[in-house]
Amino acid sequence: MSEHNEAAVSATTPDAGQTGFRPASVAAVPLSTIADALGVAAPDASQDRGVTGISLNSRAVEAGDLYMALPGASRHGADYVPQAVEAGAVAVVTDDAGARQLALAGEQPVPVLIVPEPRTAVGRLAGLIYRSQPADSGFPTLYGVTGTNGKTTTTYFINSLLRALEKKPGLIGTIEIVAGGEPIPSLLTTPESPDVHALLALMRERGLDAASMEVSSHAISYHRVDGVMFDVAGFTNLTQDHLDLHGSMEEYFRTKAELFTAGRARRAVITVDDDWGRKLADTADIPVTTLSTKPLDGGHANADWTVASITARGLGSEFELRHADGRTVSVHTGLPGDFNVANAALAALMVLASGVDVNTLQAALDAHDPFTVAVPGRMQLVSTEPASVVDFAHNPDALSRALEAVRSPLEGSRVIVVFGATGQRDQGKRPTMGAIAARLADVVIVSDDDPHDEDAAAIRAEVLQGAHAARDSENLNSEIIESYPRDAAIKLAVDMATGKDTILIAGRGHEVWQEVKGVNLALDDRVELRAALTSKGFSVSTDQRIES
């Protein structure tokens, strides 16, 4: 991570230090080659100096690294050049402001290369130094999934299907990073570009066949996937989120659409259930396979593949993927909700788009049931009586889908939801989420998510305002309660529940830390829910592992 966003990440994670993402062996790249890539000249005496790594963070610098001294919100990366050099940096890349700052500090012990916008060069240089996707060497097939909701589950589904096909896949995402060794908890949905390229090189070094990656809009905006070429890019949906960063849905869409260009991906699978998906399919400049998961009257009549014949099977669904040419694929997912039908369909078609034969795909689906894999904090079932689910739903569309998915057909059963809204994020969605909860749940318990540096009570008030307004104007019967801290709200939900009710704890999913005014508080919704259920005498899942 970069110097200027390190503080923000450190505040929300227990350890923001070394990540261990790098390959074991990196052939040195001459500084002259790096200078040529930047279009600048390297000092004559240092042209043969070898570079074996790249870092945005002086604390993560290793011997032989190129240190990228970038401008930040409050300090410039040039402030940390002495620490980087002491740690072994052999050269620095910075901008004019950083160069002036270094000149005032005196002569530098390492060469300094100056470019107008060093941030835009990081991914390109990382790919060059780590040889992450060399044209002359086989590399794992790379799947990138973007969209507002469903990215994490879809990447897990892809990896599970790849294992069913006897591949050795890696994973880069919100929950964890898997590169052929022990999983590493993630700090960001998509890591910074030096880590992304180092991970891809590490996967190649370890003999992995494929990898799936979540690609957030932040990752595209902040250049974290620059220099990466995806074999297949997939699109789930686009709904209101991250408008604090993008300002408008149109700008949010334009950012996502960058992934579906010839410089970033070879082919695409795009879900066309909403207008944004249809627009993306029409404007992408790479080969596109379209997917409609809704009936033709509400979906896209001209989609290449459509979802049909959905039937319930346990908590999950069986369905059929039908191609316009008559081909079919029978699919099952053990995870509840129509959105997991969409996630499973997208995962299957992305693997198909990478060159897997339809019959081979069907045999793997039949033999291994790969879309029943547990995804930490994504519709994760903690108990069955009452049905108790933890889900990451943290925006209006995701909350609506989750509430609809957990509604039981049992007469007299209620849905009890505990949720809040994140501080220092898109404030406009707070009353909207409150209104959705009032419409779709019987008991609405508004609590805290991650307040960050905002006043938690003020955040709750905005959510409550939306809930009360919807209940009053629409004559709803929902009970609306404010309860905090969050562990007390979870206990209240369990205390109110009977065996035939459903409890949904929404918003934080797999997260194990809650950040309040710069302080990390240990809080795992799954742990708190299990403890509350056990205390009241309810049975919980026999799998007590807490994935993170």
Side-chain angles (χ1 to χ4, degrees), residues 297-322:
D297 58 352
H300 194 38
N302 297 319
D304 298 311
W305 289 89
T306 58
V307 169
S309 303
I310 303 175
T311 58
R313 178 175 156 189
L315 291 173
S317 304
E318 288 184 334
F319 62 95
E320 191 172 73
L321 278 169
R322 295 178 183 170

Side-chain angles (χ1 to χ4, degrees), residues 472-493:
D472 295 345
S473 64
E474 300 171 30
N475 297 316
L476 304 172
N477 294 319
S478 49
E479 181 178 0
I480 300 170
I481 302 169
E482 180 180 15
S483 179
Y484 58 93
R486 192 173 176 96
D487 56 347
I490 293 171
K491 185 177 185 300
L492 175 61

Side-chain angles (χ1 to χ4, degrees), residues 44-271:
D44 291 340
S46 62
Q47 287 192 6
D48 295 330
R49 184 171 298 206
V51 176
T52 54
I54 180 171
S55 181
L56 309 180
N57 184 345
S58 63
R59 295 196 305 171
V61 166
E62 297 182 13
D65 273 8
L66 178 70
Y67 174 59
M68 304 295 297
L70 308 183
S74 58
R75 298 188 67 177
H76 199 289
D79 291 339
Y80 304 94
V81 166
Q83 294 93 316
V85 171
E86 183 178 359
V90 296
V92 174
V93 173
T94 193
D95 60 4
D96 289 332
R100 287 195 299 271
Q101 189 170 324
L102 293 175
L104 290 173
E107 187 175 349
Q108 296 302 313
V110 299
V112 177
L113 307 181
I114 306 167
V115 294
E117 296 183 19
R119 163 59 84 173
T120 63
V122 177
R124 183 159 34 99
L125 295 180
L128 174 66
I129 292 166
Y130 290 121
R131 297 174 177 86
S132 53
Q133 292 179 302
D136 59 349
S137 177
F139 175 75
T141 303
L142 187 59
Y143 303 86
V145 182
T146 198
T148 305
N149 300 312
K151 295 187 296 295
T152 299
T153 299
T154 302
T155 56
Y156 269 76
F157 281 176
I158 290 171
N159 270 34
S160 183
L161 177 54
L162 291 170
R163 287 192 296 271
L165 290 164
E166 299 184 348
K167 304 290 186 182
K168 293 173 59 181
L171 175 72
I172 302 174
T174 301
I175 298 173
E176 61 188 357
I177 292 167
V178 180
E182 287 295 315
I184 304 167
S186 291
L187 303 182
L188 301 167
T189 298
T190 312
E192 287 283 8
S193 56
D195 286 336
V196 169
H197 285 277
L199 278 164
L200 296 179
L202 178 62
M203 290 178 187
R204 184 165 59 89
E205 182 179 78
R206 291 179 173 177
L208 273 61
D209 303 303
S212 57
M213 183 190 305
E214 294 181 53
V215 184
S216 65
S217 60
H218 288 71
I220 298 170
S221 294
Y222 297 151
H223 303 281
R224 293 178 193 157
V225 290
D226 282 7
V228 175
M229 175 59 69
F230 293 92
D231 292 284
V232 184
F235 176 80
T236 59
N237 50 60
L238 198 74
T239 63
Q240 183 181 343
D241 207 359
H242 304 308
L243 297 190
D244 52 316
L245 171 65
H246 301 294
S248 69
M249 287 297 295
E250 188 63 39
E251 181 58 32
Y252 186 23
F253 168 79
R254 281 196 292 267
T255 301
K256 293 286 192 185
E258 287 184 33
L259 183 62
F260 299 84
T261 56
R264 294 188 184 269
R266 294 187 172 92
R267 61 191 66 85
V269 180
I270 297 175
T271 308

Side-chain angles (χ1 to χ4, degrees), residues 421-424 427-434 454 459 462-463:
T422 308
Q424 297 178 287
Q427 294 185 15
K429 67 185 180 184
R430 294 172 186 173
T432 303
M433 291 175 68
E454 272 198 73
I459 298 173
E462 291 185 64
V463 178

